[in-house]
Structures are given as C-alpha cells and as structure tokens.
Amino acid sequence: MRIAFVGKGGSGKTTLSALFSRHLARSGAPVLAVDGDINQHLAEALGHDGDDLDAPPLGAHVADIKDYLRGSNPRVTSREAMVKTTPPGRGSRLLRLLGDDELHARHVRRVGDVPLMVTGEFDESDLGVACYHSKLGGVELYLNHLVDGPGEYVVVDMTAGADAFASGLFTRFDVTFLVAEPTRKGVSVYRQYRDHAREFGIRIAVIGNKVTGEDDLLFLKEHVGEDLLTHLVHSSWVRAAEQGRDEGDLGGLGGLEPHNRHALTILREAVDSHPRDWSALHRHAVEFHLRNARSWANEATGLDLTAQVDPDFVPGPASLA
C-alpha cells in the first residue's frame, strides 16, 4: 500500500510520516519511507543524527533509473525517450518492495528500523534552471514500476502545500493523509486538496495535529467534517526527540503518548481497509502520461510518447509473471 503525507509547511507532516513509518516497522511489516519534500528532513525525523546519510538521491540518478526500469520494453527505445510519467509495459523491469535489485541496493539506507530513500535537496545549482518536481521524477518512475502487495507499505513525505499537485505523483497513492493544524491556514490546504482530489477519485483522510483541547477538535470537525479520521495531541515526547533530549525510549515509540499511539493504529487500519485498485492506479498513470506527452514531452523528445502506452499490459501481480 502506498501512503502520502501532505499538508502546509509546519503542520507536522514529516513528523507524522516518520512516526507512521516507525510504527509499521516495529510491527514487523515491510515498509519503505521516501523523502519527497523540497526540505529533506525525514532522515532526521526518523532519528538519524550525525554524519551524512550516504544515501544516493533518486533525483541525481534519474537517467540510470530510466535505463534500469525500461528493460527490454520495445516501446521505450532509450533513456532520452523515457520521461517521468512513462508507464510500464511488457518488457519493463518491475520492482518488488525492497527487492534484491540494483535500484534498491543503490538508493536505500536504513535509519533505525526504517529503510529510507531520498529525492535529494534543491540546492543553489538548481536555482533558475530546474523545477523541484524534476527531482521527484525518480519517485514517480519508482512507484509506476513497483508491484507491492498487501501488508507492504511505501510512506512518502510529500512537498508542502498544494504544490504537490504540480505533477501526477499525487495519483500514485492508495490513500493520502492530509495533516492539518486547527487553524484557518491549516484547513485552507485541505480545501485545495479536496477539490483537486475529487476530480480524480483520490482518497483523502485528514489527521488533526497539535490539538490542545476540545475547541481545537471542534474547529477541525466544523471545517473538515467526515474527512477527519483522527487527531494527535501535543507530544512532549516528540518535542524531546526533536530537541535531542533523552526522555527514554526515543529510539522506539514506547514513550509516545497513548492517545497518539492509538492514532497511528487508526491510520494503519484506514490504509489496510482500502484494497488496491490496480486498474485505477494504472489508468491514472496512463492518463497523466498522455497529458504530459501532448503538453510538453512530445516536443521535448521529438517523439510521439503516446505510443509508449502498452494496451496489452496487465498491471498488478500478474505482470510479474
């Protein structure tokens, strides 16, 4: 199952991404966390402290990723002919979550119990010449070619705000958790996501965060309604971890407040109750590929990239055969 965490900057989405990933990992479930935010802080939120993580960023190796994933697909003749939205077809290399392949071997590093991939930072060399979403191309290609099964989880910390809708990546998930503070700014991002998501049938559930009392909860219920799945209260345990203070069991989740631990359980139940619709997932991938091909990619490559869609490709576990 694929889960995105979104929300306005400062809402706590990175913290929630890390907590949920650790919650899954501690249960023994296969989980991969992906830092897809323009501000790369997920490793720190997972507990990394000290030297560089030494995880080669996906954004710096998109050409190599394309070469690997296109495999022997006759519809994708070169890395130059492959764009971030190119869907898999017969002959493409498909991935199993955390499988024994060169992509996972190169890009995944463990932070505590959680395997992590990063997109890479948007640095000074990118200013004026690149869009951050170009770095997310590796994530989109990865998810397009991933055949993950029940009980397996990919948790992606997305870039803040409605900017996450600037690419088709937002359609690559089974559920999107929108982290909202009980403020007018906090719920304004929810309205933007709700309106965009309805157009594509994207499932959104709201997580209230930094709730301090009944008034905060009533505010969220008034503005979010039935989309409010659960909420978390202020956590002194999380604050201690963020400040590097030893409050006991910071490497695990035992010190997390009971209400907040229960909220993580509710998130997992919500994810597990929504079975994968492989047809819809592939249909969205094809739709956004055709949009990109006609709007810019055909002109950029000098090719008709609509021909990359394989009408006889069957998505899902059957494709592994």
Side-chain angles (χ1 to χ4, degrees):
M1 302 297 283
R2 306 169 189 183
I3 306 105
F5 280 83
V6 300
K8 80 172 186 67
S11 64
K13 66 178 184 59
T14 299
T15 299
L16 264 293
S17 299
L19 287 175
F20 189 56
S21 297
R22 292 164 67 184
H23 173 72
L24 294 170
R26 286 175 64 85
S27 75
V31 58
L32 172 66
V34 180
D35 194 342
D37 194 356
I38 192 169
N39 298 307
Q40 300 269 282
H41 296 306
L42 186 55
E44 295 175 9
L46 288 169
H48 178 70
D49 186 22
D51 296 335
D52 185 76
L53 184 62
D54 188 32
L58 295 169
H61 295 269
V62 172
D64 295 331
I65 292 170
K66 290 178 180 180
D67 266 342
Y68 182 75
L69 294 179
R70 68 186 182 89
S72 60
N73 185 342
R75 294 174 178 270
V76 188
T77 55
S78 68
R79 63 166 64 173
E80 290 77 18
M82 192 173 188
V83 294
K84 64 180 181 179
T85 57
T86 296
R90 288 168 296 172
S92 298
R93 279 199 179 97
L94 302 177
L95 304 167
R96 296 304 305 264
L97 184 65
L98 300 173
D100 183 17
D101 58 72
E102 67 178 58
L103 194 153
H104 286 101
R106 179 171 59 214
H107 293 287
V108 175
R109 298 293 184 272
R110 283 189 172 270
V111 179
D113 294 335
V114 180
L116 172 68
M117 288 198 308
V118 301
T119 58
E121 295 181 344
F122 192 76
D123 55 35
E124 290 185 4
S125 65
D126 298 308
L127 295 177
V129 297
C131 166
Y132 180 69
H133 297 286
S134 64
K135 292 184 178 292
L136 291 176
V139 180
E140 193 161 354
L141 285 165
Y142 175 79
L143 293 179
N144 276 350
H145 292 76
L146 177 67
V147 182
D148 48 327
E152 298 177 337
Y153 304 88
V154 182
V155 179
V156 182
D157 179 24
M158 295 281 281
T159 192
D163 195 43
F165 280 96
S167 76
L169 183 59
F170 76 95
T171 65
R172 305 291 81 217
F173 302 100
D174 297 293
V175 61
T176 295
F177 288 136
L178 190 146
V179 183
E181 298 173 89
T183 64
R184 286 183 293 179
K185 288 184 178 179
V187 297
S188 67
V189 174
Y190 156 74
R191 295 192 189 97
Q192 291 175 303
Y193 253 90
R194 177 195 62 195
D195 295 341
H196 286 304
R198 281 177 178 171
E199 181 180 352
F200 297 96
I202 304 302
R203 181 183 177 218
I204 285 184
V206 177
I207 307 168
N209 196 28
K210 305 177 185 178
V211 173
T212 60
E214 190 65 24
D215 288 344
D216 284 350
L217 192 55
L218 289 174
F219 177 87
L220 287 171
K221 289 179 178 179
E222 176 185 355
H223 290 274
V224 174
E226 294 182 354
D227 284 341
L228 182 64
L229 176 65
T230 187
H231 72 279
L232 286 85
V233 299
H234 172 77
S235 174
S236 58
W237 181 86
V238 168
R239 180 56 57 87
E242 292 175 338
Q243 294 177 346
R245 293 188 284 113
D246 184 7
E247 293 290 330
D249 194 33
L250 290 182
L253 293 177
L256 190 64
E257 296 78 10
H259 175 89
N260 292 338
R261 289 204 307 272
H262 181 63
L264 297 178
T265 299
I266 291 175
L267 300 189
R268 182 171 183 177
E269 290 173 348
V271 172
D272 291 343
S273 67
H274 188 71
R276 166 72 51 75
D277 185 343
W278 279 107
S279 295
L281 199 67
H282 188 64
R283 184 173 66 250
H284 284 143
V286 168
E287 178 181 350
F288 272 88
H289 178 65
L290 295 178
R291 285 187 178 201
N292 279 266
R294 291 163 181 157
S295 65
W296 66 269
N298 284 351
E299 182 178 355
T301 62
L303 300 168
D304 178 12
L305 299 190
T306 63
Q308 291 181 340
V309 177
D310 184 348
D312 296 318
F313 178 73
V314 179
S319 62
L320 293 173

